[in-house]
Structures are given as C-alpha cells and as structure tokens.
Coordinates of all heavy atoms in Angstrom, one line a residue:
M1369 N 35.0 -35.4 9.4 CA 34.9 -34.0 9.9 C 34.7 -33.0 8.8 O 34.0 -32.1 8.8 CB 36.2 -33.7 10.7 CG 36.0 -32.5 11.7 SD 34.6 -32.8 12.8 CE 34.9 -31.5 14.0
A1370 N 35.5 -33.2 7.7 CA 35.4 -32.3 6.5 C 34.0 -32.4 5.9 O 33.5 -31.4 5.5 CB 36.5 -32.7 5.5
V1371 N 33.5 -33.6 5.9 CA 32.1 -33.8 5.3 C 31.1 -33.0 6.1 O 30.2 -32.4 5.6 CB 31.8 -35.3 5.2 CG1 30.4 -35.5 4.8 CG2 32.7 -36.0 4.3
L1372 N 31.3 -33.1 7.4 CA 30.3 -32.4 8.3 C 30.3 -30.9 8.1 O 29.3 -30.3 8.1 CB 30.7 -32.8 9.8 CG 29.7 -32.5 10.8 CD1 28.4 -33.3 10.6 CD2 30.2 -32.7 12.2
L1373 N 31.5 -30.4 7.9 CA 31.7 -28.9 7.7 C 30.9 -28.5 6.4 O 30.2 -27.6 6.4 CB 33.1 -28.5 7.6 CG 33.8 -28.3 9.0 CD1 35.3 -28.0 8.7 CD2 33.2 -27.1 9.7
L1374 N 31.1 -29.3 5.4 CA 30.5 -29.0 4.1 C 29.0 -29.1 4.2 O 28.3 -28.3 3.6 CB 31.0 -30.0 3.0 CG 32.4 -29.8 2.4 CD1 32.8 -30.9 1.5 CD2 32.4 -28.5 1.7
L1375 N 28.5 -30.0 5.0 CA 27.1 -30.1 5.1 C 26.5 -29.0 5.9 O 25.3 -28.5 5.7 CB 26.7 -31.4 5.8 CG 26.9 -32.7 5.0 CD1 26.7 -33.9 5.8 CD2 25.9 -32.7 3.8
T1376 N 27.2 -28.4 6.9 CA 26.6 -27.4 7.7 C 26.8 -26.0 7.2 O 26.1 -25.1 7.6 CB 27.2 -27.5 9.2 OG1 28.6 -27.4 9.1 CG2 26.8 -28.8 9.9
L1377 N 27.8 -25.9 6.3 CA 28.2 -24.5 5.8 C 27.0 -23.8 5.2 O 26.7 -22.6 5.5 CB 29.4 -24.6 4.8 CG 30.1 -23.3 4.6 CD1 30.6 -22.8 5.9 CD2 31.3 -23.6 3.7
P1378 N 26.2 -24.4 4.3 CA 25.1 -23.7 3.6 C 24.1 -23.2 4.6 O 23.6 -22.1 4.5 CB 24.5 -24.8 2.7 CG 25.6 -25.7 2.5 CD 26.4 -25.8 3.8
I1379 N 23.9 -23.9 5.7 CA 22.9 -23.5 6.7 C 23.5 -22.2 7.4 O 22.7 -21.3 7.7 CB 22.7 -24.6 7.7 CG1 22.0 -25.8 7.0 CG2 21.8 -24.2 8.8 CD1 22.0 -27.1 7.7
R1380 N 24.8 -22.2 7.7 CA 25.3 -21.1 8.5 C 25.3 -19.8 7.6 O 25.3 -18.7 8.1 CB 26.7 -21.4 8.9 CG 26.7 -22.6 10.0 CD 28.1 -22.7 10.6 NE 28.5 -21.5 11.2 CZ 29.8 -21.1 11.3 NH1 30.7 -21.8 10.7 NH2 30.1 -20.0 11.9
L1381 N 25.5 -20.0 6.3 CA 25.5 -18.8 5.4 C 24.1 -18.2 5.2 O 23.9 -17.1 4.7 CB 26.1 -19.2 4.0 CG 27.6 -19.4 4.0 CD1 28.0 -19.9 2.7 CD2 28.3 -18.1 4.4
D1382 N 23.1 -19.0 5.5 CA 21.7 -18.6 5.3 C 21.4 -17.4 6.2 O 21.6 -17.4 7.3 CB 20.8 -19.8 5.6 CG 19.4 -19.6 5.0 OD1 19.3 -19.5 3.8 OD2 18.5 -19.4 5.8
A1383 N 20.8 -16.4 5.5 CA 20.5 -15.2 6.4 C 19.3 -14.5 5.8 O 19.3 -13.3 5.4 CB 21.7 -14.2 6.4
H1384 N 18.2 -15.2 5.6 CA 17.0 -14.5 5.2 C 16.7 -13.4 6.2 O 17.0 -13.5 7.4 CB 15.8 -15.5 5.3 CG 15.9 -16.8 4.7 ND1 16.8 -17.0 3.6 CD2 15.4 -18.0 5.0 CE1 16.7 -18.3 3.3 NE2 15.9 -18.9 4.1
A1385 N 16.1 -12.4 5.7 CA 15.6 -11.3 6.5 C 14.4 -11.7 7.4 O 13.4 -12.1 6.8 CB 15.3 -10.0 5.7
V1386 N 14.5 -11.6 8.7 CA 13.4 -11.9 9.5 C 13.0 -10.6 10.3 O 13.9 -9.9 10.7 CB 13.8 -13.0 10.6 CG1 12.7 -13.2 11.6 CG2 14.2 -14.3 9.9
L1387 N 11.8 -10.4 10.4 CA 11.3 -9.2 11.0 C 11.7 -9.2 12.5 O 11.4 -10.2 13.2 CB 9.7 -9.1 10.9 CG 9.1 -7.9 11.5 CD1 9.3 -6.7 10.6 CD2 7.6 -8.1 11.6
V1388 N 12.3 -8.1 12.9 CA 12.7 -8.0 14.3 C 11.7 -7.1 15.1 O 11.2 -7.4 16.1 CB 14.1 -7.4 14.4 CG1 14.4 -7.1 15.9 CG2 15.1 -8.3 13.8
K1389 N 11.4 -5.9 14.5 CA 10.4 -5.1 15.1 C 9.8 -4.1 14.1 O 10.4 -3.9 13.0 CB 11.0 -4.2 16.3 CG 12.1 -3.3 15.8 CD 12.6 -2.4 16.9 CE 13.7 -1.5 16.5 NZ 14.2 -0.6 17.5
S1390 N 8.6 -3.6 14.4 CA 8.0 -2.7 13.5 C 7.2 -1.6 14.2 O 6.8 -1.8 15.4 CB 7.0 -3.5 12.6 OG 5.9 -4.0 13.3
S1391 N 7.0 -0.5 13.5 CA 6.1 0.5 14.0 C 5.2 0.9 12.8 O 5.8 1.3 11.8 CB 6.9 1.8 14.5 OG 6.0 2.8 14.9
P1392 N 3.9 0.7 12.9 CA 3.2 0.2 14.1 C 3.5 -1.2 14.4 O 3.9 -2.0 13.5 CB 1.7 0.3 13.6 CG 1.7 0.2 12.2 CD 3.0 0.9 11.7
A1393 N 3.4 -1.6 15.6 CA 3.6 -3.0 16.0 C 2.4 -3.9 15.6 O 1.3 -3.4 15.4 CB 3.8 -3.1 17.5
A1394 N 2.7 -5.2 15.3 CA 1.6 -6.1 14.9 C 0.6 -6.1 16.0 O 0.9 -6.2 17.2 CB 2.2 -7.5 14.7
G1395 N -0.7 -6.0 15.7 CA -1.8 -6.1 16.6 C -2.1 -4.7 17.4 O -2.9 -4.7 18.2
S1396 N -1.3 -3.7 17.0 CA -1.5 -2.4 17.7 C -2.7 -1.6 17.2 O -3.2 -1.9 16.1 CB -0.2 -1.6 17.7 OG 0.1 -1.2 16.4
T1397 N -3.1 -0.7 18.0 CA -4.2 0.3 17.5 C -3.6 1.7 17.5 O -2.9 2.1 18.5 CB -5.4 0.2 18.5 OG1 -5.9 -1.1 18.4 CG2 -6.4 1.3 18.1
I1398 N -3.7 2.4 16.4 CA -3.2 3.7 16.4 C -4.3 4.7 16.1 O -5.4 4.3 15.7 CB -2.1 3.9 15.2 CG1 -2.8 3.7 13.9 CG2 -1.0 2.9 15.4 CD1 -2.2 4.5 12.8
T1399 N -4.0 6.0 16.4 CA -5.0 7.0 16.2 C -4.4 8.1 15.2 O -3.2 8.1 15.1 CB -5.4 7.7 17.5 OG1 -4.2 8.2 18.1 CG2 -6.1 6.8 18.5
G1400 N -5.3 8.8 14.6 CA -4.8 9.8 13.7 C -4.8 9.3 12.2 O -5.1 8.2 11.9
T1401 N -4.5 10.3 11.3 CA -4.6 9.9 9.9 C -3.3 9.7 9.2 O -3.2 9.3 8.1 CB -5.4 11.1 9.1 OG1 -4.6 12.3 9.3 CG2 -6.8 11.3 9.7
F1402 N -2.2 10.1 9.9 CA -0.9 10.0 9.4 C -0.1 8.9 10.1 O -0.2 8.8 11.3 CB -0.1 11.4 9.5 CG 1.3 11.3 9.0 CD1 1.5 11.3 7.7 CD2 2.4 11.2 9.9 CE1 2.8 11.2 7.2 CE2 3.7 11.2 9.4 CZ 3.9 11.2 8.1
L1403 N 0.6 8.1 9.3 CA 1.3 6.9 9.9 C 2.7 6.8 9.4 O 2.9 6.5 8.2 CB 0.5 5.7 9.5 CG 1.1 4.3 10.0 CD1 1.0 4.2 11.5 CD2 0.4 3.2 9.3
P1404 N 3.7 7.1 10.3 CA 5.1 6.8 9.9 C 5.3 5.3 10.1 O 4.8 4.7 11.1 CB 5.9 7.5 10.9 CG 5.0 8.1 11.9 CD 3.6 7.7 11.6
V1405 N 5.9 4.7 9.1 CA 6.2 3.2 9.1 C 7.7 3.0 9.2 O 8.5 3.6 8.5 CB 5.6 2.5 7.9 CG1 6.0 1.1 7.8 CG2 4.1 2.7 7.8
S1406 N 8.1 2.1 10.1 CA 9.5 1.7 10.3 C 9.5 0.2 10.5 O 8.8 -0.3 11.4 CB 10.1 2.4 11.4 OG 11.4 2.0 11.6
V1407 N 10.2 -0.5 9.7 CA 10.3 -2.0 9.8 C 11.8 -2.4 9.9 O 12.6 -2.1 9.0 CB 9.6 -2.7 8.6 CG1 9.4 -4.1 8.8 CG2 8.2 -2.0 8.3
T1408 N 12.1 -3.1 10.9 CA 13.5 -3.5 11.1 C 13.7 -5.0 11.0 O 12.9 -5.8 11.6 CB 14.0 -3.0 12.5 OG1 13.8 -1.6 12.6 CG2 15.4 -3.4 12.8
F1409 N 14.8 -5.4 10.4 CA 15.0 -6.9 10.1 C 16.3 -7.3 10.8 O 17.1 -6.4 11.3 CB 15.1 -7.2 8.6 CG 13.8 -6.9 8.0 CD1 13.5 -5.6 7.5 CD2 12.8 -7.8 7.9 CE1 12.3 -5.3 6.9 CE2 11.6 -7.6 7.3 CZ 11.3 -6.3 6.8
N1410 N 16.6 -8.6 10.8 CA 17.8 -9.1 11.5 C 19.0 -9.1 10.6 O 20.1 -9.5 11.0 CB 17.5 -10.5 12.0 CG 17.4 -11.5 10.8 OD1 17.0 -11.1 9.7 ND2 17.7 -12.7 11.0
S1411 N 18.8 -8.6 9.4 CA 20.0 -8.6 8.5 C 19.9 -7.4 7.5 O 18.8 -6.8 7.4 CB 20.2 -9.9 7.7 OG 19.2 -9.9 6.7
K1412 N 20.9 -7.1 6.9 CA 20.9 -6.0 5.9 C 19.9 -6.4 4.8 O 19.8 -7.5 4.4 CB 22.3 -5.8 5.2 CG 23.3 -5.1 6.0 CD 24.5 -4.8 5.2 CE 25.7 -4.4 6.0 NZ 26.9 -4.2 5.2
I1413 N 19.3 -5.3 4.3 CA 18.3 -5.6 3.2 C 18.6 -4.6 2.1 O 19.1 -3.5 2.3 CB 16.9 -5.5 3.7 CG1 16.7 -4.2 4.5 CG2 16.5 -6.7 4.5 CD1 15.3 -4.0 5.0
D1414 N 18.1 -5.0 0.9 CA 18.2 -4.1 -0.3 C 16.9 -3.3 -0.4 O 15.9 -3.8 -0.9 CB 18.4 -5.0 -1.5 CG 18.6 -4.2 -2.8 OD1 18.3 -3.0 -2.8 OD2 19.2 -4.8 -3.8
A1415 N 17.0 -2.0 0.0 CA 15.8 -1.2 0.1 C 15.2 -1.0 -1.3 O 13.9 -0.9 -1.4 CB 16.1 0.1 0.8
A1416 N 16.0 -0.9 -2.3 CA 15.5 -0.6 -3.7 C 14.7 -1.8 -4.2 O 13.9 -1.6 -5.1 CB 16.7 -0.3 -4.6
R1417 N 15.0 -3.0 -3.7 CA 14.3 -4.2 -4.2 C 13.3 -4.8 -3.1 O 13.0 -6.0 -3.1 CB 15.3 -5.2 -4.6 CG 16.1 -4.8 -5.9 CD 17.0 -6.0 -6.3 NE 17.6 -5.6 -7.6 CZ 18.7 -4.8 -7.7 NH1 19.2 -4.3 -6.6 NH2 19.3 -4.6 -8.8
S1418 N 12.9 -3.9 -2.2 CA 12.0 -4.3 -1.2 C 10.7 -3.5 -1.3 O 10.7 -2.4 -1.9 CB 12.6 -4.1 0.2 OG 13.8 -4.9 0.3
K1419 N 9.6 -4.0 -0.8 CA 8.4 -3.2 -0.9 C 7.5 -3.4 0.3 O 7.5 -4.4 0.9 CB 7.6 -3.5 -2.2 CG 7.2 -4.9 -2.4 CD 6.6 -5.1 -3.8 CE 6.2 -6.5 -4.0 NZ 5.6 -6.7 -5.4
I1420 N 6.7 -2.3 0.5 CA 5.7 -2.4 1.6 C 4.4 -1.9 1.0 O 4.3 -0.9 0.4 CB 6.1 -1.5 2.8 CG1 7.4 -1.9 3.4 CG2 5.0 -1.5 3.8 CD1 7.9 -1.0 4.5
T1421 N 3.4 -2.7 1.1 CA 2.0 -2.4 0.6 C 1.1 -2.2 1.8 O 1.1 -3.1 2.7 CB 1.5 -3.5 -0.3 OG1 2.4 -3.7 -1.3 CG2 0.1 -3.1 -0.9
L1422 N 0.3 -1.2 1.8 CA -0.7 -0.9 2.8 C -2.0 -1.4 2.3 O -2.5 -0.9 1.3 CB -0.7 0.5 3.2 CG -1.8 0.9 4.3 CD1 -1.4 0.3 5.6 CD2 -1.9 2.4 4.4
V1423 N -2.6 -2.4 3.0 CA -3.9 -2.9 2.7 C -4.9 -2.3 3.7 O -4.7 -2.6 4.9 CB -4.0 -4.4 2.6 CG1 -5.4 -4.9 2.2 CG2 -2.9 -4.9 1.7
G1424 N -5.9 -1.6 3.3 CA -6.8 -0.9 4.2 C -8.2 -1.5 4.1 O -8.4 -2.6 3.5
P1425 N -9.2 -0.8 4.8 CA -10.6 -1.3 4.8 C -11.1 -1.5 3.3 O -10.7 -0.7 2.4 CB -11.3 -0.1 5.4 CG -10.3 0.6 6.2 CD -9.0 0.4 5.5
G1426 N -11.8 -2.6 3.1 CA -12.3 -2.9 1.8 C -11.2 -3.5 0.9 O -11.3 -3.5 -0.3
Q1427 N -10.1 -3.9 1.5 CA -8.9 -4.5 0.8 C -8.3 -3.5 -0.2 O -7.7 -4.0 -1.2 CB -9.4 -5.8 0.1 CG -10.0 -6.9 1.0 CD -9.0 -7.3 2.0 OE1 -7.9 -7.7 1.7 NE2 -9.3 -7.2 3.3
S1428 N -8.5 -2.2 0.0 CA -7.8 -1.3 -0.8 C -6.3 -1.4 -0.6 O -5.8 -1.5 0.5 CB -8.3 0.2 -0.5 OG -7.9 0.5 0.9
E1429 N -5.5 -1.3 -1.7 CA -4.1 -1.5 -1.6 C -3.4 -0.3 -2.1 O -3.8 0.4 -3.0 CB -3.6 -2.7 -2.5 CG -4.1 -4.0 -2.0 CD -3.4 -5.2 -2.7 OE1 -2.4 -4.9 -3.4 OE2 -3.9 -6.3 -2.6
Q1430 N -2.3 0.0 -1.4 CA -1.5 1.2 -1.7 C 0.0 0.9 -1.5 O 0.4 0.5 -0.4 CB -1.9 2.4 -0.8 CG -1.1 3.6 -1.0 CD -1.4 4.7 0.1 OE1 -2.2 4.5 1.0 NE2 -0.6 5.8 0.1
A1431 N 0.8 0.9 -2.6 CA 2.2 0.7 -2.4 C 2.8 1.9 -1.8 O 2.6 3.0 -2.3 CB 2.8 0.4 -3.8
L1432 N 3.6 1.7 -0.7 CA 4.2 2.9 0.0 C 5.6 3.1 -0.6 O 6.3 2.2 -0.9 CB 4.3 2.6 1.5 CG 2.9 2.3 2.2 CD1 3.2 2.1 3.7 CD2 1.9 3.4 1.9
A1433 N 5.9 4.4 -0.8 CA 7.3 4.7 -1.2 C 8.2 4.4 -0.1 O 8.0 4.8 1.1 CB 7.3 6.2 -1.5
I1434 N 9.3 3.7 -0.4 CA 10.2 3.2 0.6 C 11.5 4.0 0.6 O 12.0 4.3 -0.4 CB 10.6 1.7 0.3 CG1 9.4 0.8 0.6 CG2 11.8 1.3 1.2 CD1 9.7 -0.6 0.9
R1435 N 11.9 4.3 1.8 CA 13.2 5.0 2.0 C 14.0 4.0 2.8 O 13.5 3.3 3.7 CB 13.0 6.3 2.8 CG 12.4 7.4 2.1 CD 12.3 8.6 2.9 NE 11.2 8.5 3.9 CZ 11.3 8.6 5.2 NH1 12.4 8.7 5.7 NH2 10.2 8.5 5.9
G1436 N 15.3 4.0 2.6 CA 16.1 3.2 3.5 C 16.1 3.9 4.8 O 15.8 5.0 5.0
G1437 N 16.4 3.1 5.9 CA 16.4 3.6 7.2 C 17.7 4.2 7.6 O 18.6 4.4 6.7
N1438 N 17.9 4.6 8.8 CA 19.2 5.1 9.3 C 20.2 3.9 9.3 O 21.3 4.1 9.2 CB 19.0 5.7 10.7 CG 18.0 6.8 10.8 OD1 17.8 7.5 9.8 ND2 17.3 6.9 11.9
A1439 N 19.6 2.7 9.5 CA 20.4 1.5 9.6 C 20.1 0.7 8.3 O 19.1 0.8 7.7 CB 20.1 0.7 10.8
P1440 N 21.1 -0.1 7.8 CA 20.9 -0.9 6.6 C 20.0 -2.0 6.7 O 19.7 -2.7 5.8 CB 22.3 -1.4 6.3 CG 23.1 -1.3 7.6 CD 22.5 -0.2 8.4
N1441 N 19.4 -2.2 7.9 CA 18.5 -3.3 8.1 C 17.1 -2.8 8.4 O 16.2 -3.5 8.9 CB 18.9 -4.2 9.3 CG 19.0 -3.5 10.6 OD1 19.1 -2.2 10.7 ND2 18.8 -4.2 11.7
T1442 N 16.8 -1.5 8.1 CA 15.5 -0.8 8.4 C 15.0 -0.2 7.1 O 15.7 0.4 6.3 CB 15.7 0.2 9.5 OG1 16.2 -0.4 10.7 CG2 14.4 0.9 9.8
L1443 N 13.7 -0.3 7.0 CA 12.9 0.4 5.9 C 12.0 1.4 6.5 O 11.3 1.1 7.6 CB 12.1 -0.6 5.1 CG 12.8 -1.7 4.3 CD1 11.8 -2.6 3.6 CD2 13.7 -1.1 3.3
N1444 N 11.9 2.6 5.9 CA 11.0 3.6 6.4 C 10.0 3.9 5.3 O 10.3 3.9 4.1 CB 11.7 4.8 6.8 CG 12.5 4.6 8.1 OD1 12.1 3.8 9.0 ND2 13.6 5.4 8.2
A1445 N 8.8 4.3 5.7 CA 7.8 4.7 4.7 C 6.7 5.5 5.5 O 6.9 5.7 6.7 CB 7.1 3.5 4.0
E1446 N 5.8 6.1 4.8 CA 4.7 6.8 5.5 C 3.4 6.7 4.7 O 3.4 6.5 3.5 CB 5.1 8.2 5.8 CG 5.6 9.0 4.6 CD 6.2 10.3 5.1 OE1 7.0 10.3 6.0 OE2 5.9 11.3 4.4
A1447 N 2.3 6.7 5.4 CA 1.0 6.7 4.8 C 0.2 7.8 5.4 O 0.4 8.2 6.6 CB 0.3 5.4 5.1
D1448 N -0.7 8.4 4.6 CA -1.5 9.5 5.1 C -3.0 9.3 4.7 O -3.3 8.4 4.0 CB -1.0 10.8 4.4 CG -1.3 12.0 5.3 OD1 -2.0 11.9 6.3 OD2 -0.8 13.1 5.0
H1449 N -3.8 10.1 5.2 CA -5.2 10.1 4.9 C -5.9 8.8 5.4 O -6.7 8.2 4.6 CB -5.5 10.4 3.5 CG -4.8 11.6 2.9 ND1 -5.1 12.9 3.4 CD2 -3.8 11.7 2.1 CE1 -4.3 13.7 2.8 NE2 -3.5 13.1 2.0
L1450 N -5.5 8.3 6.5 CA -6.0 7.0 7.0 C -7.4 7.2 7.6 O -7.6 8.2 8.2 CB -5.1 6.4 8.0 CG -3.7 6.0 7.6 CD1 -2.9 5.4 8.7 CD2 -3.7 5.1 6.4
K1451 N -8.3 6.3 7.3 CA -9.6 6.3 7.9 C -9.7 5.2 9.0 O -8.9 4.2 8.9 CB -10.7 6.0 6.9 CG -10.7 7.1 5.7 CD -11.8 6.7 4.7 CE -11.9 7.8 3.6 NZ -10.8 7.8 2.7
P1452 N -10.6 5.3 9.9 CA -10.7 4.2 10.9 C -11.0 2.8 10.2 O -11.7 2.8 9.3 CB -11.9 4.6 11.8 CG -11.9 6.1 11.6 CD -11.5 6.4 10.2
G1453 N -10.4 1.8 10.8 CA -10.7 0.4 10.3 C -9.5 -0.5 10.4 O -8.5 -0.1 10.9
P1454 N -9.7 -1.7 9.9 CA -8.6 -2.7 10.0 C -7.6 -2.5 8.8 O -8.0 -2.3 7.7 CB -9.3 -4.0 9.9 CG -10.5 -3.7 9.1 CD -10.9 -2.3 9.4
Y1455 N -6.3 -2.5 9.1 CA -5.3 -2.4 8.1 C -4.2 -3.5 8.3 O -4.2 -4.2 9.3 CB -4.5 -1.1 8.3 CG -5.3 0.2 7.8 CD1 -6.3 0.7 8.6 CD2 -5.0 0.8 6.6 CE1 -7.0 1.8 8.2 CE2 -5.7 1.9 6.2 CZ -6.7 2.4 7.0 OH -7.4 3.5 6.6
R1456 N -3.4 -3.7 7.2 CA -2.2 -4.5 7.4 C -1.2 -4.0 6.4 O -1.4 -3.5 5.3 CB -2.5 -6.0 7.2 CG -2.9 -6.4 5.8 CD -3.1 -7.9 5.7 NE -3.3 -8.3 4.3 CZ -4.5 -8.3 3.7 NH1 -5.6 -8.0 4.4 NH2 -4.6 -8.7 2.5
L1457 N 0.1 -4.1 6.9 CA 1.2 -3.8 6.1 C 1.7 -5.1 5.6 O 2.0 -6.1 6.3 CB 2.3 -3.1 6.9 CG 2.0 -1.7 7.4 CD1 3.0 -1.3 8.5 CD2 2.1 -0.7 6.2
E1458 N 1.9 -5.3 4.2 CA 2.4 -6.4 3.7 C 3.9 -6.1 3.2 O 4.0 -5.2 2.3 CB 1.6 -6.9 2.5 CG 0.2 -7.4 2.9 CD -0.6 -8.0 1.8 OE1 -0.2 -7.9 0.6 OE2 -1.6 -8.6 2.1
W1459 N 4.8 -6.7 3.8 CA 6.2 -6.4 3.4 C 6.9 -7.5 2.7 O 6.5 -8.7 2.9 CB 7.1 -6.0 4.6 CG 7.1 -7.0 5.7 CD1 6.3 -7.1 6.8 CD2 8.0 -8.2 5.8 NE1 6.6 -8.2 7.6 CE2 7.7 -8.9 7.0 CE3 9.0 -8.7 5.0 CZ2 8.3 -10.0 7.4 CZ3 9.7 -9.8 5.4 CH2 9.3 -10.5 6.6
Q1460 N 7.7 -7.2 1.7 CA 8.5 -8.1 1.0 C 9.9 -7.6 0.9 O 10.1 -6.4 0.3 CB 7.9 -8.4 -0.4 CG 8.8 -9.3 -1.2 CD 8.2 -9.6 -2.6 OE1 7.0 -9.9 -2.7 NE2 9.0 -9.4 -3.7
V1461 N 10.9 -8.2 1.3 CA 12.2 -7.7 1.3 C 13.2 -8.7 0.7 O 13.1 -9.9 0.8 CB 12.7 -7.3 2.7 CG1 11.8 -6.3 3.4 CG2 12.9 -8.5 3.6
L1462 N 14.3 -8.1 0.1 CA 15.4 -8.9 -0.4 C 16.6 -8.7 0.5 O 17.0 -7.6 0.7 CB 15.8 -8.3 -1.8 CG 17.0 -9.0 -2.5 CD1 16.7 -10.5 -2.7 CD2 17.4 -8.3 -3.8
A1463 N 17.0 -9.8 1.1 CA 18.1 -9.8 2.0 C 19.4 -9.9 1.2 O 19.4 -10.2 0.0 CB 18.0 -11.0 3.0
I1464 N 20.5 -9.6 1.9 CA 21.8 -9.5 1.2 C 22.2 -10.9 0.7 O 23.1 -11.1 -0.1 CB 23.0 -8.9 2.0 CG1 22.9 -9.5 3.4 CG2 22.9 -7.4 2.1 CD1 24.1 -9.2 4.2
D1465 N 21.6 -12.0 1.2 CA 21.9 -13.3 0.8 C 21.2 -13.7 -0.5 O 21.3 -14.8 -1.0 CB 21.7 -14.4 1.9 CG 20.2 -14.6 2.2 OD1 19.4 -13.8 1.7 OD2 19.9 -15.6 2.8
G1466 N 20.4 -12.7 -1.0 CA 19.6 -13.0 -2.2 C 18.3 -13.6 -2.1 O 17.6 -13.9 -3.1
H1467 N 17.9 -13.9 -0.8 CA 16.6 -14.5 -0.6 C 15.5 -13.5 -0.3 O 15.8 -12.5 0.4 CB 16.7 -15.5 0.6 CG 17.5 -16.7 0.2 ND1 18.3 -17.4 1.2 CD2 17.7 -17.3 -0.9 CE1 18.9 -18.4 0.6 NE2 18.5 -18.4 -0.7
I1468 N 14.3 -13.7 -0.8 CA 13.2 -12.9 -0.5 C 12.3 -13.4 0.6 O 12.1 -14.7 0.6 CB 12.3 -12.7 -1.8 CG1 13.1 -11.9 -2.8 CG2 11.0 -12.0 -1.5 CD1 12.4 -11.8 -4.2
T1469 N 12.0 -12.6 1.5 CA 11.0 -13.1 2.6 C 9.9 -12.1 2.6 O 10.0 -10.9 2.2 CB 11.7 -13.1 4.0 OG1 12.3 -11.9 4.2 CG2 12.6 -14.3 4.1
R1470 N 8.7 -12.5 3.1 CA 7.6 -11.6 3.2 C 6.7 -11.9 4.4 O 6.9 -13.0 5.0 CB 6.7 -11.7 1.9 CG 6.5 -13.1 1.4 CD 5.6 -13.1 0.2 NE 6.2 -12.7 -1.1 CZ 7.0 -13.6 -1.8 NH1 7.1 -14.8 -1.5 NH2 7.5 -13.1 -2.9
G1471 N 5.9 -10.9 4.8 CA 5.1 -11.1 6.0 C 4.1 -10.0 6.1 O 4.0 -9.1 5.2
Q1472 N 3.3 -10.1 7.1 CA 2.2 -9.1 7.3 C 2.2 -8.6 8.7 O 2.6 -9.3 9.6 CB 0.8 -9.8 7.1 CG 0.7 -10.3 5.7 CD -0.7 -10.8 5.4 OE1 -1.6 -10.9 6.3 NE2 -1.0 -11.2 4.1
I1473 N 1.8 -7.3 8.8 CA 1.7 -6.7 10.1 C 0.3 -6.1 10.2 O 0.0 -5.0 9.6 CB 2.8 -5.5 10.2 CG1 4.2 -6.1 10.1 CG2 2.6 -4.8 11.6 CD1 5.2 -5.0 9.8
P1474 N -0.6 -6.7 10.9 CA -1.9 -6.2 11.0 C -2.0 -5.1 12.1 O -1.3 -5.3 13.2 CB -2.8 -7.4 11.4 CG -1.8 -8.4 12.1 CD -0.4 -8.0 11.5
F1475 N -2.8 -4.1 11.9 CA -3.0 -3.1 13.0 C -4.4 -2.5 12.7 O -5.0 -2.7 11.7 CB -1.9 -2.1 13.0 CG -1.8 -1.2 11.8 CD1 -2.4 0.0 11.7 CD2 -1.1 -1.7 10.6 CE1 -2.3 0.8 10.6 CE2 -1.0 -0.9 9.5 CZ -1.6 0.3 9.5
T1476 N -4.8 -1.7 13.7 CA -6.1 -1.0 13.6 C -6.0 0.5 13.7 O -5.1 1.0 14.5 CB -7.0 -1.5 14.7 OG1 -7.1 -2.9 14.6 CG2 -8.4 -0.9 14.6
V1477 N -6.7 1.2 12.9 CA -6.8 2.7 13.0 C -8.1 3.0 13.7 O -9.2 2.6 13.2 CB -6.7 3.4 11.7 CG1 -6.8 4.9 11.8 CG2 -5.3 3.1 11.0
K1478 N -8.0 3.8 14.7 CA -9.2 4.1 15.5 C -9.7 5.5 15.1 O -9.0 6.4 14.8 CB -8.9 4.1 17.0 CG -10.0 3.7 17.9 CD -9.5 3.3 19.3 CE -8.9 4.5 20.1 NZ -8.9 4.2 21.5
Ligands
LIG2270 CU1 18.4 -16.6 3.0

C-alpha cells in the first residue's frame, strides 16, 4: 500500500497549466481592428514568466504585453491595428508546479 502511494503521488502533484477558455475562442472570426485577449487556465500561472505572441498574415509576429488577469489563472493582453486575415495566438505559460506548457489559438479577422 505504501509503495502504491509513492508511485501515484507524483502524478497527483502534477498540475501543468491547461487552457480552459480563451477570448478570442479558437476557430472564431472577429471584426474590427482592436482585440482584447483573455486566456484562462486550469491552474495558477506565473504571468511574469508567461508570454503570448500574435502571429498574423504573412507570419508576422508580435509579442503582446501581458497583464495578469483578475484571477491568478488568467492572462490578459491586447492587440491593435489588426488587418483582415488569418491569425493565431501562441501562448506559453509557466504553471505554479514549475512546468511550461504551450499551445495555439487560431482565429480570423474579417
Ligand atoms: Cu506540471
């Protein structure tokens, strides 16, 4: 029994940040040139050691200034001067368990 506990403990402590929801949502289409960004995870994250990059038409990249959210599991940012075309947000976050996770949120500007 003690051995079983030791084996399962590391798994239970594991708490990588997993994306819960985002604005814009993945696959969504937005209008306008200004874009508020909000990304929420399933665990607390270190906003100072996390980043969001906006990749736009022609693979242009822009690092967005990150603000912590109202909640410790949310990142906020904003982008402006958007032109119509395909975009994606590339996020990389550091969770409180010390693990980095990353992912992409594709969306379209009309
Ligand atoms: Cu982890």
